[in-house]
Amino acid sequence: MNIPFVDLKTQYRTIEADVNAAIIDVLQRADFVLGREVDKFEDEFADYCNAAYAVGVDSGYSALELILRAYEIGPGDEVITAANTFVATALTISNTGARPVLVDMDPYSYNLDPDKLEAAITPATRAIMPVHLYGQPADMDAITQIARRHGLLVFEDSAQGHGAFYKGRRTGSLGDAAGFSFYPGKNLGAYGDGGAVVTNDPVIADRVRMLRNLGQRAKYDHQIKGYNHRLDTVQAAVLRVKLPHLDHWNAGRRRAAAEYDRLMADLPVISPRVTAGVDHVYHLYVIRVRDRDGLMQHLKQAGVATGIHYPVPIHLQAAYRDLGYKRGDFPITETLADEILSLPIYAELSNDAVAYVVDAITAYVDQSVYEAAAMPQAIAV
Ligand SMILES: *Cc1c(COP(=O)(O)O)cnc(C)c1O
């Protein structure tokens, strides 16, 4: 068997006629830039998130950066985010001129640990940008409480969290504003780059709308200095076809995840733990194992593609030497970077395929050398 890490072709086959028709419609209407489908998608995506406004932009990166710029966050400001997130989160902060301040993760949810948040707040802190990493909402109540106490804004990085619920509320509606990515492999993916800013604040929605489109409110009426970060009409048309399927696809991911959980219950691996009151949409299914690299090689030979999200934490990247962090600053993030492994997950992943992956893992961990290492222990820090 050959099991890819994601399988966009199979999903396309299930919606092929609708996608093709929607794209041809755009070609015939020729409203390629900020066309009708962008408006409609924005309304539908805002509704989906139970929020007032969605503004389509050209990537998840742009969504987060434009949120920061809409709030005039820049040089001299600090924005706190998770040490174990994708580098794009930090780049949105540093590219405004603000300083990304990192906070270590909780080793059970893999999300920013609210207990470590307050120590990272300084007089320069303006906002907290929690990440719904791997598809599990961050601990928003705890984070919001701390933010309110210190007068800070809260921006969700929901690039991996489409459709997840936190205590009955959708991601995208949990903070002051949220950034979504529609990169093809995300739970809601376009056929190219795309993203959206979601917010209940009309002033911020209006500013992001201007910022994405050269600072214009109307043609040639430039209110502020903006950028070109518009969502493509063709991508919006694809996203409109896909959005009604998102809950069903997320259910498919949860089904596959539950099957992994069940079949691996007795293996010396740690499966994802879902925090009470939240709903995990499994953008990634991440396990913890000893000898991760050995297992990864073994799975590759068995035809199973895997990934590491992420192998080198932001504070140890050459690009972020200027932040002055050193090895040891975020011990949980550093330990887990060596132990996490992302297994294939997508709505169409069959239970047979999951069983094949788990059989391959079982064959590896049955080797005595592996058993000696056993289950990763609770982290002693
Ligand atoms: C994908 C991703 C982004 C960036 O989204 P793009 O659309 O690729 O720019 C930001 N943050 C996280 C956590 C992501 O996974």
Side-chain angles (χ1 to χ4, degrees):
M1 245 204 231
N2 237 314
I3 304 184
F5 188 65
V6 289
D7 183 356
L8 301 178
K9 292 176 192 165
T10 297
Q11 188 198 62
Y12 172 60
R13 280 197 293 276
T14 69
I15 52 172
E16 183 172 358
D18 290 345
V19 167
N20 293 1
I23 291 175
I24 288 169
D25 267 2
V26 177
L27 303 186
Q28 287 174 341
R29 247 190 335 273
D31 56 348
F32 300 112
V33 175
L34 297 182
R36 188 188 80 177
E37 297 299 287
V38 175
D39 282 342
K40 289 191 183 243
F41 174 70
E42 288 176 345
D43 289 347
E44 290 162 3
F45 194 63
D47 279 354
Y48 179 84
C49 296
N50 293 322
Y53 309 98
V55 183
V57 295
D58 57 0
S59 71
Y61 169 87
S62 297
L64 294 169
E65 188 185 320
L66 293 189
I67 289 170
L68 297 170
R69 292 194 186 279
Y71 282 95
E72 299 184 302
I73 290 172
D77 296 329
E78 294 179 357
V79 177
I80 297 173
T81 193
N84 59 323
T85 185
F86 182 42
V87 71
T89 316
L91 287 169
T92 68
I93 300 165
S94 54
N95 285 340
T96 66
R99 178 188 168 85
V101 173
L102 304 174
V103 168
D104 212 352
M105 67 160 117
D106 170 271
Y108 302 105
S109 68
Y110 304 144
N111 275 323
L112 186 155
D113 186 347
D115 290 343
K116 305 202 173 89
L117 193 48
E118 228 147 1
I121 295 172
T122 76
T125 309
R126 294 278 315 278
I128 305 166
M129 193 183 279
V131 184
H132 305 314
L133 203 68
Y134 308 154
Q136 170 153 247
D139 189 351
M140 294 302 291
D141 279 354
I143 291 167
T144 305
Q145 253 175 34
I146 294 167
R148 295 297 171 252
R149 201 174 325 130
H150 293 268
L152 307 176
L153 296 155
V154 178
F155 306 135
E156 298 168 73
D157 178 344
S158 197
Q160 303 187 2
H162 317 68
F165 285 96
Y166 176 84
K167 300 186 180 174
R169 293 153 64 211
R170 285 266 198 209
T171 56
S173 67
L174 304 172
D176 294 289
F180 285 85
S181 166
F182 305 126
Y183 182 82
K186 302 290 164 96
N187 289 32
L188 178 63
Y191 290 145
D193 276 309
V197 172
V198 172
T199 181
N200 284 319
D201 185 334
V203 176
I204 291 307
D206 182 55
R207 281 186 70 85
V208 171
R209 242 175 247 290
M210 289 193 284
L211 286 169
R212 75 166 172 189
N213 190 25
L214 312 174
Q216 304 185 103
R217 180 162 283 130
K219 201 170 171 77
Y220 304 134
D221 168 16
H222 299 270
Q223 295 284 326
I224 52 178
K225 294 190 189 79
Y227 307 84
N228 182 345
H229 286 309
R230 300 173 296 234
L231 176 65
D232 234 73
T233 309
V234 169
Q235 299 306 338
V238 169
L239 290 164
R240 283 195 73 209
V241 171
K242 286 185 154 202
L243 182 58
H245 297 278
L246 178 55
D247 286 339
H248 171 71
W249 287 333
N250 282 343
R253 288 173 179 272
R254 278 195 292 273
R255 185 260 320 144
E259 193 65 5
Y260 273 127
D261 289 349
R262 187 175 75 79
L263 296 177
M264 293 196 295
D266 297 326
L267 294 184
V269 305
I270 295 180
S271 296
R273 296 183 206 191
V274 183
T275 311
V278 316
D279 168 41
H280 199 317
V281 292
Y282 294 99
H283 172 60
L284 295 167
Y285 185 94
V286 178
I287 60 171
R288 272 183 72 189
V289 289
R290 283 279 161 80
D291 189 20
R292 184 268 320 276
D293 294 340
L295 176 60
M296 201 173 179
Q297 266 314 108
H298 173 82
L299 288 174
K300 188 176 174 192
Q301 275 150 24
V304 177
T306 58
I308 303 171
H309 300 87
Y310 297 92
V312 181
I314 291 162
H315 70 288
L316 302 179
Q317 294 282 356
Y320 277 118
R321 259 194 300 254
D322 62 323
L323 293 179
Y325 290 121
K326 58 187 186 309
R327 188 170 289 279
D329 282 347
F330 305 103
I332 298 177
T333 293
E334 290 170 24
T335 302
L336 266 65
D338 296 332
E339 295 183 351
I340 48 178
L341 183 66
S342 307
L343 302 180
I345 188 122
Y346 36 91
E348 302 79 8
L349 185 70
S350 69
N351 286 354
D352 285 349
V354 171
Y356 178 84
V357 175
V358 176
D359 282 348
I361 295 173
T362 307
Y364 189 73
V365 302
D366 275 351
Q367 296 167 13
S368 56
V369 57
Y370 189 87
E371 252 175 339
M375 182 88 90
Q377 299 302 308
I379 294 169
V381 277

